[in-house]
Amino acid sequence: MKYPKEYLDEIKTRLKVSTVVSKTVILKKRGKEFVGLSPFKNEKTPSFTVNDEKGFYHCFSTSEHGNIFDFIMKTQNLRFGEAVKALANLAGIKPYTFTKADEEREKKWQEYSEIYNTYVKFYHDSLLKDEKANEARQYLKIRNLTKQEVSKFMIGYVEGNPNYYEKLKEKFSEKNIEESGLFYFDDKKKLFVERFKDRIIFPINNISGKPIAIGGRIIKDKNYLAKYINSPETMFFKKGSNLYNLDFVRKLSNKIDYVYLVEGYMDVVGLSKSGIDNVVANLGTSLTDRQILTLGQFFNEIVICFDGDNSGYKAAVRAAENSIKELRPEKKISFLFLPDGEDPDSFVNKNKKDYFFEFTKKNKIEIHKFIFEHYHKETEDNPSSMAIFEKKLREIASNIKDQFIKKYVLEYFLEQISLFTPNLSKSNKNYKNIKAKTLKKTQMYFNESKSLTTVELKEYSLLYIILQNIVLFQNNLNLLEDIKFFTNENRQILEKLFSNLKISKKFKIEDLKIDNQLIDKIFKFASIKNIINKYINDEQKIIDLFMEVKRDLKNYELESRIEELESKFSKDFSEQTFNELRELKKTQKIN
């Protein structure tokens, strides 16, 4: 039994060759290609190349050559069917089971696809040639769109009283035409009428470039009509799983590592006209997990840019809460807010492409920071409101699927909350309670914290746990072994602490003879204090948290060494460097 060509093409479209190969081979980008050591032969000089644009790999030392299916079959010793199932799972596509239902679905898809192809072409040609489309052409001219954009996006126009349903019936079954969603039944007239009459239409393609739905925009101001409508959901079209222009944009992912996500079809077309092609639009619904995962397969960063008005801002908040769940360590989601009253199309028309790129660099905000700022603006200065604020942020962080991202986002939220609600463990009698900061002091405090590196904050957390639990660590000195600090000041404090813990049963912080400003910094910026102060009497929990921070520092050391070796490997491609890099990555996974 053969897999349908459409099914195999869908898998190949969704997965870059480099994505599949990099799970087995360490690849380094070189021009348009990736290079690495051959998985088919032991070698010191890399002879293995991957080309995403052409969709193949080639090994010059063994002459092995093929696509993602060939690679999986040869490296994992799988049959073709097994390789297809493995890659379909990786691409997020349902397995093809060769049941009668699958065969029927495939047959239905072929006719569905042909109906949409015919419909799109007919009304695209009508827009370009038909006299009845003059008003639509005039509207597009006012919107500064030329024939070039109309042709590129296959934009069409459905005139007021067409009778195209009858023409389609000559070639396709009525049932399939009706299920396409292009028409609806008018009970009064007792006939099927155009869903998109009097509208400019934008074909919505699947990832392979086949039209599967339509988006329509009115060209006359009619208050009783929605400005935009989409095809209803069908067997082959789910709004939450598709994005407008993704079929074109995915081809750019080999050259550009980020994509703009906007609200409307006209924004995509308008930005493309201005030379900004890496743009997709969601389809009139809230941003979904599936859309984020799909974009993440092709791009490292998603920049969400909605209209600069109240409804655009509200849509951004919903998008942030939905999409942060799918954030991954190697991926990034940012938000870009335009001036009030602007949409991406109008903004770029006024200011041009280069200014838009510069505006993006200066004004985009990472997703976790946007969420914090939004809910902080809605919080009042009273215990009840602050409690609701913290509870909401904890809830958002708890829904993040990746455990590492979840941990650091929660830590960021709690750290920022501490800037507005400074507190100090009452168990330390030698440290004075701090009164609530004034707004000016809080801002100074915030600015100071921004100058600290992530590793410094981790070191502060480790030192804070020890200073708050001196007796516990005197009885467990082994916990302090094999700790590596990266900043000189913190390393000296740790050394003095360790020395005193070994020789003195009782000592105070002052006995360390360390600059008070350094001690102040530890108590001020140790983000772990927001968590550990809840477990003052739980020694096991304190040790667990200590070991967690210790592992983080160990991983930081590993990451630094891995980066160093990757840089070295990109220059010398030596087998010794490769083997050391591979072992370190194994250790990193264990940690």
Side-chain angles (χ1 to χ4, degrees):
M1 290 183 289
K2 286 187 176 182
Y3 283 95
K5 183 178 181 298
E6 286 286 342
Y7 184 79
L8 299 178
D9 286 346
E10 178 89 358
I11 294 172
K12 285 195 285 187
T13 300
R14 287 181 178 274
L15 294 174
K16 293 183 181 181
V17 184
S18 60
T19 301
V20 176
V21 171
S22 63
K23 296 186 179 299
T24 306
V25 179
I26 295 175
L27 296 174
K28 204 74 182 176
K29 195 160 180 59
R30 183 181 287 174
K32 290 184 178 181
E33 297 185 327
F34 293 86
V35 295
L37 297 172
S38 172
F40 306 111
K41 181 183 179 181
N42 288 328
E43 61 180 12
K44 294 181 180 179
T45 304
S47 66
F48 185 78
T49 65
V50 170
N51 190 310
D52 282 331
E53 284 186 39
K54 296 178 180 177
F56 66 71
Y57 65 87
H58 183 81
C59 179
F60 288 94
S61 61
T62 63
S63 296
E64 291 284 359
H65 178 98
N67 58 29
I68 54 175
F69 299 108
D70 301 315
F71 184 81
I72 291 292
M73 289 166 66
K74 289 172 182 175
T75 57
Q76 298 185 22
N77 196 26
L78 298 177
R79 294 191 298 273
F80 180 69
E82 294 170 325
V84 172
K85 286 178 183 177
L87 290 170
N89 182 57
L90 184 61
I93 298 173
K94 289 181 180 179
Y96 193 88
T97 54
F98 295 99
T99 61
K100 192 171 182 180
D102 277 337
E103 291 174 14
E104 285 296 320
R105 187 179 189 279
E106 183 62 24
K107 196 182 295 181
K108 190 177 278 286
W109 157 250
Q110 295 299 335
E111 184 154 323
Y112 179 95
S113 178
E114 190 58 33
I115 288 169
Y116 264 95
N117 265 320
T118 305
Y119 187 91
V120 165
K121 187 176 186 311
F122 178 81
Y123 283 119
H124 173 64
D125 290 343
S126 292
L127 176 61
L128 295 178
K129 302 169 186 175
D130 199 322
E131 286 184 14
K132 293 177 183 178
N134 280 337
E135 191 175 5
R137 287 194 289 270
Q138 190 61 30
Y139 169 82
L140 293 172
K141 188 176 180 181
I142 292 169
R143 295 297 298 260
N144 295 314
L145 297 187
T146 66
K147 186 177 178 181
Q148 185 177 345
E149 287 79 54
V150 170
S151 299
K152 177 180 177 180
F153 291 94
M154 287 296 288
I155 297 169
Y157 175 66
V158 181
E159 63 267 25
N161 294 294
N163 192 27
Y164 197 54
Y165 179 85
E166 296 301 322
K167 289 185 180 179
L168 288 175
K169 272 172 55 179
E170 295 171 8
K171 187 177 179 183
F172 306 106
S173 76
E174 287 190 63
K175 185 181 178 185
N176 286 340
I177 296 170
E178 291 161 22
E179 289 180 356
S180 72
L182 292 169
F183 306 87
Y184 67 92
F185 189 73
D186 188 319
D187 288 318
K188 290 181 180 179
K189 296 178 182 177
K190 301 299 179 185
L191 51 78
F192 282 93
V193 296
E194 293 274 3
R195 185 178 298 277
F196 298 100
K197 64 181 179 180
D198 286 328
R199 290 180 185 269
I200 297 283
I201 59 170
F202 302 84
I204 300 166
N205 298 336
N206 67 6
I207 202 166
S208 301
K210 300 282 180 69
I212 55 172
I214 297 288
R217 191 199 192 283
I218 57 171
I219 60 172
K220 300 173 185 176
D221 291 328
K222 295 181 180 178
N223 294 332
Y224 59 91
L225 290 177
K227 184 187 288 185
Y228 282 99
I229 61 169
N230 292 316
S231 294
E233 294 203 343
T234 67
M235 184 187 291
F236 304 105
F237 171 60
K238 307 296 178 190
K239 291 178 186 176
S241 299
N242 291 278
L243 290 153
Y244 181 63
N245 201 41
L246 179 61
D247 57 309
F248 175 78
V249 164
R250 69 174 179 82
K251 299 170 187 173
L252 303 176
S253 61
N254 301 315
K255 306 167 188 173
I256 304 171
D257 63 358
Y258 70 98
V259 62
Y260 288 102
L261 174 64
V262 297
E263 286 185 276
Y265 308 109
M266 288 299 294
D267 290 324
V268 172
V269 177
L271 264 60
S272 175
K273 175 182 173 293
S274 298
I276 304 169
D277 289 315
N278 52 325
V279 189
V280 296
N282 61 334
L283 305 174
T285 59
S286 296
L287 195 60
T288 65
D289 307 357
R290 183 71 193 142
Q291 288 168 326
I292 290 295
L293 286 170
T294 300
L295 284 175
Q297 288 179 316
F298 300 102
F299 298 96
N300 291 329
E301 182 178 6
I302 303 166
V303 181
I304 299 172
C305 179
F306 289 166
D307 294 355
D309 55 20
N310 191 45
S311 63
Y313 182 82
K314 286 179 179 177
V317 173
R318 291 194 300 273
E321 290 192 21
N322 284 339
S323 54
I324 196 170
K325 294 182 286 189
E326 301 298 338
L327 200 57
R328 297 286 184 270
E330 68 279 7
K331 303 296 179 181
K332 194 174 178 182
I333 301 173
S334 305
F335 284 79
L336 180 67
F337 293 99
L338 302 176
D340 193 22
E342 296 278 15
D343 58 41
D345 180 24
S346 66
F347 186 75
V348 175
N349 253 324
K350 282 182 192 174
N351 301 290
K352 306 308 175 192
K353 177 173 72 171
D354 291 341
Y355 181 84
F356 182 67
F357 288 147
E358 193 61 32
F359 185 85
T360 299
K361 284 180 188 176
K362 290 180 180 177
N363 293 281
K364 68 179 179 178
I365 177 171
E366 290 184 63
I367 187 168
H368 61 291
K369 293 180 180 178
F370 167 54
I371 287 173
F372 182 88
E373 287 185 9
H374 167 70
Y375 283 106
H376 180 249
K377 281 189 288 188
E378 294 193 338
T379 304
E380 298 174 3
D381 188 17
N382 64 65
S384 178
S385 185
M386 288 300 295
I388 293 169
F389 175 43
E390 180 174 340
K391 184 179 178 182
K392 180 64 178 178
L393 293 179
R394 284 180 178 275
E395 181 187 329
I396 290 169
S398 71
N399 288 326
I400 297 171
K401 294 175 184 176
D402 184 271
Q403 295 304 308
F404 290 101
I405 293 290
K406 178 189 290 189
K407 173 184 171 184
Y408 287 110
V409 167
L410 177 60
E411 194 169 296
Y412 173 83
F413 285 162
L414 296 177
E415 193 174 298
Q416 295 305 304
I417 289 172
S418 74
L419 301 181
F420 303 103
T421 57
N423 67 320
L424 199 63
S425 173
K426 294 177 182 178
S427 62
N428 181 11
K429 296 177 183 178
N430 298 306
Y431 204 79
K432 295 178 181 178
N433 285 329
I434 303 173
K435 293 180 181 179
K437 295 181 177 71
T438 63
L439 184 62
K440 186 175 179 181
K441 286 184 178 179
T442 299
Q443 188 60 48
M444 288 171 61
Y445 186 93
F446 178 68
N447 290 338
E448 189 179 354
S449 71
K450 285 201 297 187
S451 67
L452 300 171
T453 64
T454 302
V455 74
E456 281 179 293
L457 293 170
K458 288 291 176 191
E459 290 172 355
Y460 289 156
S461 287
L462 209 66
L463 291 169
Y464 179 85
I465 297 172
I466 300 169
L467 290 168
Q468 291 288 70
N469 300 277
I470 287 172
V471 175
L472 174 61
F473 284 95
Q474 277 182 323
N475 296 329
N476 295 275
L477 280 173
N478 60 301
L479 297 175
L480 303 181
E481 296 173 359
D482 301 323
I483 296 175
K484 181 176 179 180
F485 274 10
F486 296 84
T487 53
N488 288 328
E489 289 177 342
N490 292 340
R491 193 183 301 119
Q492 290 172 17
I493 296 172
L494 182 64
E495 288 170 359
K496 288 188 178 181
L497 255 176
F498 192 60
S499 300
N500 277 275
L501 287 169
K502 282 196 296 185
I503 62 174
S504 176
K505 289 185 178 179
K506 289 184 179 181
F507 75 89
K508 297 177 181 178
I509 293 175
E510 298 90 75
D511 297 336
L512 293 172
K513 295 180 181 178
I514 295 171
D515 187 340
N516 283 336
Q517 286 187 338
L518 296 180
I519 298 295
D520 287 347
K521 265 191 172 184
I522 294 168
F523 279 87
K524 190 186 282 187
F525 297 115
S527 54
I528 196 74
K529 69 185 178 186
N530 298 300
I531 300 172
I532 204 164
N533 289 344
K534 297 176 183 178
Y535 303 103
I536 293 172
N537 300 315
D538 188 341
E539 290 191 350
Q540 187 54 54
K541 187 65 178 178
I542 291 168
I543 290 173
D544 289 345
L545 288 167
F546 177 84
M547 295 304 293
E548 191 174 340
V549 180
K550 185 177 174 181
R551 276 194 298 274
D552 287 343
L553 282 170
K554 180 67 176 173
N555 275 328
Y556 181 84
E557 182 184 359
L558 281 170
E559 285 168 10
S560 300
R561 180 59 180 152
I562 285 169
E563 283 182 16
E564 183 184 322
L565 286 173
E566 283 181 338
S567 176
K568 185 181 176 187
F569 181 69
S570 68
K571 295 172 185 174
D572 62 22
F573 284 102
S574 77
E575 190 172 3
Q576 182 181 348
T577 305
F578 173 77
N579 290 334
E580 188 179 349
L581 189 56
R582 185 169 56 185
E583 290 305 311
L584 280 178
K585 288 201 170 186
K586 284 181 186 176
T587 306
Q588 188 183 36
K589 285 181 181 177
I590 293 169
N591 286 331

